[in-house]
Amino acid sequence: MQKCVVKNLKETSVLAKKFAKTLKGGEVILLSGDLGAGKTTFTQSLFKALKVKDYVTSPTFTLLNTYNGKFPIYHFDMYRLSSMEEAMAVGFEEYFDKKHL
């Protein structure tokens, strides 16, 4: 894993666009950080680079937003969930290839 440090939203967007070029589909990406850390900016820039035409929002209350772009994207927000058991109870595993769990 490589550590990247960005200093502002513009650098966050540039990093997301570069990262998008490495994705093939099927990857699981985890973003973790405090409120205001830039997770949504990174996600919006990443999805734009992946040819998503829809407005990208954080699915905090719905838990999942689905987008079509270069490949299908399932955008989970795990903020309200407190355990893996709770994630499984809402059907989290249905979006992953079972052989990789």
Side-chain angles (χ1 to χ4, degrees):
M1 181 177 358
Q2 182 178 4
K3 182 178 179 178
C4 297
V5 177
V6 295
K7 298 176 183 154
N8 55 48
L9 294 179
K10 183 176 180 179
E11 289 182 9
T12 300
S13 293
V14 168
L15 176 63
K17 290 174 188 174
K18 286 180 182 179
F19 183 59
K21 292 177 184 177
T22 71
L23 302 176
K24 307 290 184 228
E27 295 90 353
V28 176
I29 302 161
L30 171 67
L31 299 179
S32 178
D34 294 333
L35 188 64
K39 298 179 300 293
T40 299
T41 297
F42 182 89
T43 301
Q44 289 171 334
S45 297
L46 178 67
F47 287 13
K48 183 177 180 181
L50 293 173
K51 310 292 186 217
V52 170
K53 304 279 188 229
D54 298 320
Y55 180 70
V56 176
T57 61
S58 183
T60 302
F61 296 104
T62 59
L63 297 180
L64 167 67
N65 288 338
T66 303
Y67 298 98
N68 293 310
K70 186 176 176 182
F71 41 76
I73 300 171
Y74 305 104
H75 180 197
F76 294 91
D77 189 323
M78 307 303 281
Y79 178 76
R80 292 186 13 227
L81 301 180
S82 58
S83 68
M84 183 57 102
E85 290 77 20
E86 194 174 347
M88 295 302 194
V90 297
F92 181 78
E93 78 279 2
E94 294 175 24
Y95 295 90
F96 298 93
D97 185 334
K98 301 231 186 264
K99 67 183 176 188
H100 297 292
L101 288 179

